[in-house]
Amino acid sequence: MVKCSSMKKNNPNSAPAADHADMPIIADHISKSYNKGAVNALRDVSFEVKKGELFGLIGPDGAGKTTLFRILTTLLQADKGQARVSGYDVVKDYKQIRSSVGYMPGKFSLYQDLTVEENLTFFATLFGTSVAAHYELIKDIYDQIKPFSDRRAGKLSGGMKQKLALCCALVHRPTVLFLDEPTTGVDVVSRREFWEMLQQLKRQGITILVSTPYMEEAVRCDRIALIQNGQLLNIGTPSQITDTFPVKLYAVKAASIYTLLKDLRSWTQAESCYAFGDLLHVTLGPHTGDDLALIREYATAKGHDQVTVQRIAPSIEDSFIRLTTTNSLQYGSADQS
Amino acid sequence: MRTLRFLLQKEFRQMFRDKTILVMMFLLPVIQLGILPLAMDLDVKNINVAIVDQDHSAYTQKLITKLGASGYFKIVTVAPAYKQALFSLENGKADIVLEIPPSFERHLIKEGNQSLNVTADAINGTKSGIGTAYLLAVIRDFNQDIRLMSNRQPVAPAIIDIASSAWFNPHQKFTWYIVPGVLVLLLTLVGGFLSSLNIVREKEIGTIEQINVTPIKKWQFILGKLIPFWVVGMIVLTIGLLVARLFYGIIPLGSILLLYLLAAVYLMALLGFGLLVSTISNNQLQSMFIAFFFIMIFVLMSGLFTAVDSMPVWARTIATFLPITHFMKAVRMIILKGSTFSDVLPILVFELLFAIGLNALAIRNYRKTQ
């Protein structure tokens, strides 16, 4: 079922699954450009999200995440390709989509001069329902902001705003929930809480598409798609993505990290080397012998103290870095040329 | 209907929470109507005159006294020579120099005629024009007096005496003319500016994004935006009429109901304009500038200060196509002249067409999907 756009390129007629009920979100070869083609925000993006799945769209700022969200929520029309949400076409059946999905834009988009309660009631009315009608869905989240229900939304803290926005997006019990960078600019604790709330919503049978620039949040999703420059690089479960990391990855540490980074980058045996926290992540080119010993010997020969080398399992971020730099990867380093 | 009710509730709530806008909305009519008509008075008073009297005779004394007694002139200096008087014109102390040549009286008596020299500072065209005209009128009057006095001619020459009576504004008070105009200006500002800021404000804060994904209908959203400003416009009109009554004693001669009907339709047209501006701009600054550009033209070409009839043909053509021109005319007609429904019907139809056209454009232009 999982197909990367690059794999499907030569076969545009391979239609997505006909059974829309199982696939609340289907994007089929979506392209979108701005400024008359000068900026390609999305290039031939195809993916599907299964019912009840928590699907993450992971990519840096400017990768095209928001554009994709706006197309799927009927706010923007794609130049090419089709998309279906809850079985409805995003262009033809936009009306049905608008009453059946919840959308939380990346920018806080509620009325700052209305109170928490007024915002919630207002959006419930716009969806032709009431706060009480689906209260059980938002209860756990709303309870946390209830003490501030008379406060104006603009005066809430970042995490509170997030919760209110989520409540407003859920007030009509949508079948599909779109969350555009919900954790950007939110503190670590609130972020963890937020992901726990999403897990709860998932249990209630709501399909969730969430985007984030934070790679470490990817593991909380059932499946993820890595996006860069408007193209999907890879789709799969977080473990699938890290498992397909093609080479062995080593974490290297020494007393002077910066000079070690420079030394490793100028080493012909190293395929890639980048800083990762307070460690260096290194991959090697083809060679004979023990990798660990090789790296340690090289580092010691360059005069480094306290050298530790360890084989580690690649993270999503490692996969992402590898996917985005594949084209430039070659033996030796670019610094030499 | 329920959705619309909640939309309106939300709009009014937001309006009442924005203290600045609220204060401006109610202070604007009071301040503008209370102060502007007095300041904008086009009547020319206090014309400063420098006199060069080279004759120093009984006649010149009489002329100068007459000048001072007219109430329009203030004699600032009596200079011995024209050069000095001209200097006071240059440094702005005087507006007009009146030069009386030597042997003024003798020439008048002996030869029956004598020229005077009037020099006016024309930087302020209105003041110099009207001031000179007043001065000439005073001199003409003086001329009549001395002819009768001198008794040279046994029979006084035939004089055509013109008595004029000003209809609809018997005392020719400038405020009567300008107050209804400022009232129209106020409605235009409230309707045009405030509404042009509204949708674009939602765009700027991003709330429109959240609204657009809801199943709300276009007409509901637009109506939800229109009605509050329409109500505010009517309140401003009411305050304006009260101020006109209390400050200037201007009580509409015609039907107040008719005035409100006309204003209601005019406001609809203007709100349509504001919404249109709002839909085509991306931020409040943009929409402010676009609205400012048009409203400036509207106001200056509307006949608020200057008569539309005396504009060049091209300007008159533009003015005929502006809703404000006709509304201005109708408001003056109703307030000052007591015009009836049938008198303003063509104007009402014209405004209605504008209201429908502009609102249709605004609704067409507002898109939930880009």
Side-chain angles (χ1 to χ4, degrees):
Chain A
M1 233 35 259
V2 180
K3 281 174 188 146
C4 183
S5 59
S6 56
M7 295 180 208
K8 282 180 94 175
K9 236 172 225 166
N10 299 327
N11 189 8
N13 291 328
S14 68
D19 194 4
H20 301 312
D22 289 341
M23 290 295 168
I25 304 175
I26 302 166
D28 191 18
H29 300 283
I30 294 217
S31 294
K32 174 77 189 176
S33 61
Y34 293 117
N35 299 340
K36 294 178 180 143
V39 182
N40 284 312
L42 289 175
R43 291 181 237 192
D44 201 27
V45 168
S46 299
F47 70 98
E48 285 148 6
V49 180
K50 291 180 206 142
K51 193 169 164 55
E53 197 172 34
L54 176 53
F55 192 94
L57 202 58
I58 320 283
D61 293 344
K65 300 189 295 288
T66 301
T67 303
L68 186 56
F69 270 79
R70 289 172 58 85
I71 288 171
L72 291 174
T73 50
T74 74
L75 291 176
L76 193 68
Q77 284 190 2
D79 297 338
K80 269 182 258 160
Q82 284 111 45
R84 300 185 81 86
V85 173
S86 288
Y88 301 114
D89 187 279
V90 288
V91 179
K92 271 180 282 170
D93 310 320
Y94 67 93
K95 279 183 185 157
Q96 281 90 335
I97 293 180
R98 282 178 187 166
S99 49
S100 64
V101 306
Y103 173 43
M104 184 173 146
K107 196 177 154 197
F108 183 70
S109 305
L110 301 177
Y111 292 97
Q112 313 241 7
D113 43 2
L114 295 185
T115 67
V116 168
E117 205 185 343
E118 284 164 356
N119 265 301
L120 198 60
T121 317
F122 178 68
F123 281 101
T125 316
L126 290 195
F127 282 108
T129 177
S130 66
V131 179
H134 307 292
Y135 189 68
E136 80 288 346
L137 185 67
I138 57 167
K139 187 180 176 301
D140 288 342
I141 309 163
Y142 189 55
D143 277 349
Q144 299 174 44
I145 47 173
K146 213 171 184 176
F148 311 101
S149 61
D150 284 336
R151 194 178 286 189
R152 297 205 184 156
K155 300 254 187 283
L156 292 174
S157 68
M160 294 282 187
K161 276 183 181 164
Q162 221 68 30
K163 282 166 193 161
L164 175 60
L166 187 60
C167 283
C168 287
L170 285 169
V171 76
H172 57 298
R173 197 179 183 97
T175 52
V176 184
L177 185 59
F178 292 92
L179 306 168
D180 191 8
E181 299 202 8
T183 52
T184 301
V186 178
D187 67 86
V188 185
V189 178
S190 296
R191 266 160 68 181
R192 198 169 56 228
E193 275 176 14
F194 197 83
W195 281 99
E196 275 154 21
M197 284 187 261
L198 294 191
Q199 295 294 341
Q200 275 177 29
L201 291 173
K202 204 188 94 179
R203 260 174 254 135
Q204 303 238 26
I206 293 175
T207 307
I208 303 170
L209 178 64
V210 59
S211 74
T212 176
Y214 303 118
M215 304 284 165
E216 68 273 18
E217 290 182 341
V219 288
R220 294 182 174 269
C221 302
D222 297 331
R223 285 196 305 143
I224 55 170
L226 300 180
I227 185 170
Q228 160 94 342
N229 292 332
Q231 280 178 307
L232 294 192
L233 303 172
N234 204 351
I235 305 178
T237 63
S239 56
Q240 271 173 348
I241 285 178
T242 49
D243 286 350
T244 51
F245 199 80
V247 292
K248 289 171 184 162
L249 184 69
Y250 300 97
V252 186
K253 201 178 172 184
S256 169
I257 282 286
Y258 182 64
T259 46
L260 182 63
L261 179 70
K262 273 169 61 178
D263 288 338
L264 284 170
R265 280 200 170 157
S266 59
W267 186 27
T268 46
Q269 293 280 2
E271 184 200 34
S272 72
C273 175
Y274 49 86
F276 197 102
D278 55 351
L279 298 169
L280 296 180
H281 282 191
V282 181
T283 62
L284 298 183
H287 66 94
T288 50
D290 181 14
D291 290 356
L292 291 170
L294 198 66
I295 297 170
R296 198 174 295 121
E297 274 164 27
Y298 174 77
T300 331
K302 282 279 174 184
H304 285 282
D305 289 333
Q306 301 161 38
V307 179
T308 55
V309 184
Q310 210 183 342
R311 175 151 186 216
I312 51 160
S315 68
I316 297 286
E317 190 163 350
D318 293 308
S319 302
F320 188 85
I321 291 170
R322 186 158 188 95
L323 284 167
T324 52
T325 53
T326 309
N327 300 334
S328 60
L329 273 192
Q330 51 198 315
Y331 297 117
S333 117
D335 293 358
Q336 280 182 326
S337 55
Chain B
M1 258 1 248
R2 187 165 163 260
T3 312
L4 186 60
R5 212 185 68 217
F6 267 83
L7 268 173
L8 288 177
Q9 194 185 30
K10 176 217 123 201
E11 292 291 336
F12 276 113
R13 260 193 194 133
Q14 287 186 298
M15 201 182 279
F16 282 109
R17 280 180 195 172
D18 193 335
K19 291 280 180 293
T20 321
I21 293 276
L22 200 66
V23 169
M24 279 310 288
M25 260 183 314
F26 295 100
L27 223 57
L28 197 74
V30 178
I31 301 283
Q32 288 220 341
L33 266 178
I35 293 174
L36 287 188
L38 298 176
M40 287 195 299
D41 202 334
L42 283 183
D43 285 350
V44 175
K45 284 175 204 135
N46 305 326
I47 305 161
N48 297 322
V49 189
I51 292 178
V52 186
D53 185 0
Q54 292 164 324
D55 192 34
H56 297 290
S57 60
Y59 270 30
T60 61
Q61 248 348 284
K62 211 164 253 168
L63 178 61
I64 292 167
T65 316
K66 202 171 174 64
L67 216 57
S70 71
Y72 291 99
F73 300 99
K74 223 163 85 191
I75 295 158
V76 282
T77 45
V78 179
Y82 182 66
K83 253 195 178 149
Q84 275 117 317
L86 204 60
F87 183 68
S88 63
L89 197 77
E90 280 163 0
N91 65 22
K93 278 199 189 113
D95 300 310
I96 292 179
V97 174
L98 174 66
E99 189 189 10
I100 304 169
S103 58
F104 171 73
E105 186 178 307
R106 208 177 55 212
H107 278 172
L108 264 180
I109 294 170
K110 281 197 171 159
E111 287 157 35
N113 64 40
Q114 172 62 54
S115 330
L116 288 169
N117 179 25
V118 175
T119 315
D121 172 9
I123 284 184
N124 184 339
T126 328
K127 200 166 185 179
S128 77
I130 295 176
T132 312
Y134 284 176
L135 188 64
L136 294 182
V138 171
I139 293 168
R140 206 178 306 125
D141 212 28
F142 173 73
N143 208 1
Q144 303 289 353
D145 289 352
I146 52 168
R147 278 185 192 207
L148 294 174
M149 269 181 351
S150 62
N151 272 337
R152 284 276 158 125
Q153 288 147 308
V155 185
I159 296 163
I160 300 174
D161 188 21
I162 303 166
S164 62
S165 78
W167 278 49
F168 310 123
N169 187 357
H171 304 293
Q172 286 185 303
K173 275 191 193 158
F174 184 73
T175 50
W176 281 41
Y177 171 76
I178 206 74
V179 166
V182 174
L183 205 59
V184 172
L185 177 72
L186 275 174
L187 280 188
T188 310
L189 290 182
V190 169
F193 277 125
L194 286 182
S195 65
S196 72
L197 283 180
N198 200 295
I199 287 191
V200 85
R201 183 160 158 246
E202 299 231 7
K203 271 191 208 170
E204 211 169 273
I205 319 173
T207 45
I208 199 131
E209 197 91 323
Q210 198 87 60
I211 292 277
N212 283 350
V213 289
T214 67
I216 184 177
K217 304 259 187 329
K218 251 169 143 180
W219 66 266
Q220 289 174 328
F221 186 65
I222 298 260
L223 263 188
K225 292 282 167 200
L226 273 179
I227 295 171
F229 289 110
W230 187 83
V231 172
V232 169
M234 294 314 248
I235 295 174
V236 166
L237 175 67
T238 311
I239 298 177
L241 284 173
L242 280 175
V243 171
R245 188 183 197 122
L246 295 174
F247 284 36
Y248 304 102
I250 300 173
I251 301 163
L253 275 179
S255 152
I256 298 247
L257 220 63
L258 184 61
L259 197 61
Y260 272 85
L261 175 72
L262 206 68
V265 178
Y266 174 69
L267 265 176
M268 257 153 62
L270 215 64
L271 292 173
F273 160 79
L275 285 176
L276 187 63
V277 171
S278 213
T279 54
I280 57 173
S281 22
N282 294 320
N283 55 55
Q284 298 194 49
L285 196 67
Q286 249 179 39
S287 95
M288 201 67 192
F289 264 114
I290 297 174
F292 191 77
F293 172 78
F294 281 105
I295 288 183
M296 202 69 183
I297 294 176
F298 287 1
V299 169
L300 290 181
M301 299 205 77
S302 66
L304 171 60
F305 306 108
T306 47
V308 176
D309 296 329
S310 50
M311 289 178 185
V313 181
W314 60 267
R316 225 181 308 157
T317 317
I318 296 174
T320 348
F321 286 104
L322 298 178
I324 187 174
T325 316
H326 299 272
F327 183 58
M328 185 84 72
K329 201 169 130 198
V331 167
R332 280 181 180 149
M333 276 164 74
I334 296 172
I335 294 185
L336 300 178
K337 206 170 168 183
S339 296
T340 56
F341 182 74
S342 54
D343 295 328
V344 296
L345 184 64
I347 293 176
L348 192 67
V349 172
F350 184 82
E351 302 292 348
L352 200 64
L353 288 179
F354 255 98
I356 294 169
L358 284 170
N359 281 295
L361 263 178
I363 292 180
R364 212 186 59 116
N365 220 10
Y366 164 60
R367 278 175 208 288
K368 287 174 80 176
T369 310
Q370 280 160 356

